[in-house]
């Protein structure tokens, strides 16, 4: 391969093979995204079983499982600060290889504290691979291909929410909790192999002595900007609501009047299927309606689903989950320009706080109060959107 060719490795792009090359690239990008973050939310599908295994409350287990978002937040900032010094391909490759270690160790975690630490470490490596892949795509795809590449990556990310949960529920139900984590470790290694064989060598990164200083200076400017601070707060609220919904609904569904079994709980997450179809359309919706109207539409969709989560019938709850999933994914992708390291850190921090706060609300006051807390977060995000900066343009920092 020529020294200057650093894009995703594709079949020969003669006119006869052009469409096949595009399909191959799209598949590789989507599959890379899937294998990078498949561990992030898959464990939510087996929360009731894990809570029983460790003899802890839903709130304690929910916080431990979602502790990965803490690692995601920290790594998002760190990679953004140091990204100029990191070889993209090697960084993604090593992150996925190292991710397999804490994933496999979760199978034998002797206590909830160890389980929580391992989830944080998972988050660190997932976010490193995730952030570096986004940087790789931005730097090595042509302007014409960038939109399609990012759409493929986002779709793979959303698909991992469905199939990761479904796979986790099936594995735990048939092979046990330990086997579940070993299989996901193999998926991490499969992701590393895919990166090794499908991504071309990247050029040496330009060493800039002032890189860290420049990044910190840019961050200070972002935090001084009121509308950008609002954007970070909106990201916080979005994952706060998402995590609160899809963590604690598991404990509701396994109880009366639903009594959903472990395997059936995995099938519940087919509610993400509409999100896989609607999320790639976020960019088109923004272009037609604008950022604020798109965000308000997304918030309205999610809020409309919340009353259904309180209905004592499974079809109503499932429809509510569909609406919350579509709304929160659409809201998270409506303003792609703000996806800097700070935004991603705020987003994942919101997930961690949501699991902690709403877990306590769920344990002490029940599901109705938990849904009220989710509604409050979504409503706050919609109000904050009045001060959203248009257009938002952040640096890669």
């Amino acid at each position: 391969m020529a020294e200057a060719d650093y894009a995703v490795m594709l079949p020969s792009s003669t006119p006869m093979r052009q469409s096949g090359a595009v399909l191959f690239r799209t598949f590789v990008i989507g599959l890379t995204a899937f294998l990078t973050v498949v561990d992030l939310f898959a464990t939510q599908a087996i929360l009731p079983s894990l809570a029983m295994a460790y003899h802890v409350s839903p709130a304690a287990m929910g916080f431990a499982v979602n502790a990965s978002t803490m690692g995601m937040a920290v790594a998002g900032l760190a990679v953004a600060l140091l990204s100029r010094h990191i070889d993209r391909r090697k960084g993604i490759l090593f992150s996925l290889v190292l991710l397999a270690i804490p994933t496999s160790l979760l199978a034998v975690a002797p206590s909830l504290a160890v389980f929580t630490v391992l989830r944080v470490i998972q988050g660190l490596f997932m976010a490193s691979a995730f952030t570096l892949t986004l940087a790789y795509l931005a730097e090595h795809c042509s302007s014409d291909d960038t939109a399609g590449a990012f759409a493929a990556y986002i779709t793979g990310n959303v698909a991992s929410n469905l199939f990761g949960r479904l796979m986790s529920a099936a594995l735990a139900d048939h092979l046990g909790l330990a086997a579940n984590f070993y299989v996901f470790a193999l998926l991490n290694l499969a992701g590393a192999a895919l990166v090794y064989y499908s991504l071309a060598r990247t050029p040496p990164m330009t060493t800039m002595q002032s890189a860290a200083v420049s990044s910190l200076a840019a961050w200070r400017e972002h935090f001084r900007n009121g509308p950008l601070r609002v954007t970070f707060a909106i990201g916080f609220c979005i994952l706060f609501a998402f995590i609160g919904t899809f963590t604690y609904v598991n404990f509701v569904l396994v109880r009366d009047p639903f009594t959903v079994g472990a395997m059936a709980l995995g099938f519940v997450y087919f509610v993400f299927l509409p999100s896989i179809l609607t999320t790639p359309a976020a960019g088109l919706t923004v272009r037609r309606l604008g950022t604020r109207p798109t965000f308000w539409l997304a918030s309205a969709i999610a809020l409309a689903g919340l009353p259904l989560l309180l209905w004592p019938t499974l079809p109503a709850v499932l429809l509510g989950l569909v609406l919350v999933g579509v709304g929160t994914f659409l809201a998270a992708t409506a303003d792609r320009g703000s996806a800097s390291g700070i935004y991603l850190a705020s987003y994942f921090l919101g997930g961690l706080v949501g699991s902690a706060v709403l877990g306590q609300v769920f344990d002490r006051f029940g599901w109705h109060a938990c849904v009220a807390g989710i509604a409050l977060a979504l409503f706050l995000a919609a109000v904050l959107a009045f001060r959203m900066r248009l257009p938002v343009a952040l640096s890669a920092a």
Side-chain angles (χ1 to χ4, degrees):
M1 177 169 289
E3 184 70 13
D5 186 3
Y6 305 112
V8 177
M9 290 184 181
L10 300 172
S12 178
S13 55
T14 61
M16 294 292 292
R17 298 184 179 179
Q18 186 98 25
S19 60
V22 172
L23 288 174
F24 177 77
R25 182 197 65 203
T26 301
F27 173 76
V28 168
I29 292 171
L31 186 57
T32 300
F34 179 91
L35 295 172
T36 298
V37 295
V38 69
D39 307 81
L40 184 57
F41 295 125
T43 312
Q44 287 184 345
I46 55 173
L47 268 170
S49 299
L50 286 169
M52 290 179 61
Y54 285 98
H55 307 289
V56 295
S57 69
M61 198 69 242
F63 180 82
V65 163
N66 292 311
S68 55
T69 58
M70 180 189 298
M72 296 284 282
V74 172
L77 286 174
V79 172
L81 183 63
L82 303 173
S83 63
R84 292 180 178 90
H85 304 290
I86 301 174
D87 181 290
R88 308 302 195 222
R89 179 175 179 269
K90 289 181 180 178
I92 299 167
L93 180 62
F94 291 151
S95 294
L96 291 173
V97 170
L98 293 173
L99 174 59
I101 298 174
T103 303
S104 60
L105 290 177
L106 283 169
V108 293
S111 67
L112 189 65
V114 174
F115 187 100
T116 303
V117 170
L118 290 172
R119 285 292 287 173
V120 172
I121 297 172
Q122 273 191 308
L124 289 171
F125 293 129
M126 276 188 276
S128 298
F130 180 86
T131 308
L132 289 172
T133 302
L134 289 178
Y136 185 99
L137 294 177
E139 294 164 358
H140 302 298
C141 287
S142 68
S143 57
D144 292 337
D145 292 339
T146 298
F150 275 88
Y153 196 78
I154 292 169
T155 302
N157 185 0
V158 178
S160 71
N161 276 272
L162 165 59
F163 295 106
R165 285 176 165 93
L166 184 62
M167 189 183 307
S168 183
L171 289 168
D173 190 47
H174 289 88
L175 302 177
L177 291 173
N180 166 78
F181 294 113
Y182 289 135
V183 170
F184 276 93
L186 291 175
L187 289 178
N188 299 150
L189 294 176
L194 180 65
V195 168
Y196 180 82
Y197 288 109
S198 66
L199 296 191
R201 293 188 301 276
T202 55
M205 302 303 295
T206 301
T207 301
M208 299 176 62
Q209 293 182 351
S210 61
V213 176
S214 298
S215 295
L216 290 174
W219 290 359
R220 284 195 295 269
E221 288 301 313
H222 293 335
F223 280 119
R224 289 194 188 106
N225 187 308
L228 287 184
R229 291 199 302 269
V230 167
T231 303
F232 302 148
I234 288 174
F236 180 97
C237 292
I238 292 171
L239 202 63
F240 183 103
F242 178 86
I243 290 284
T245 302
F246 289 96
T247 295
Y248 299 107
V249 73
N250 293 281
F251 295 99
V252 174
L253 292 175
V254 297
R255 300 173 181 172
D256 290 331
F258 307 107
T259 59
V260 174
M263 182 61 196
L265 193 60
F267 286 108
V268 164
Y269 288 101
F270 273 107
V271 296
F272 286 118
L273 194 56
S275 298
I276 297 175
L277 303 176
T278 60
T279 298
L284 178 61
T285 307
V286 169
R287 286 193 294 273
R288 289 188 174 182
L289 302 179
T291 301
R292 281 179 185 159
T294 300
F295 183 81
W296 286 327
L297 173 63
S299 299
I301 292 172
L303 283 166
L306 294 183
L308 296 173
L309 299 182
L310 304 177
W311 215 263
T313 61
L314 187 59
V317 173
L318 295 180
L319 178 58
L321 291 175
V322 167
L323 294 176
V324 173
V326 168
T328 51
F329 277 119
L330 185 61
T333 55
D335 189 18
R336 296 180 190 176
S338 65
S340 68
I342 301 173
Y343 179 85
L344 289 175
S346 302
Y347 181 74
F348 289 118
L349 182 61
L352 182 66
V353 175
S355 66
V357 172
L358 293 176
Q360 291 301 316
V361 171
F362 181 81
D363 278 354
R364 295 170 185 245
F365 305 107
W367 179 232
H368 284 67
C370 186
V371 171
I374 295 165
L376 181 61
L378 290 172
F379 181 76
L380 177 60
V383 172
L384 287 170
F386 280 103
R387 295 191 59 201
M388 184 184 290
R389 179 179 177 179
L390 298 177
V392 176
L394 297 184
S395 68

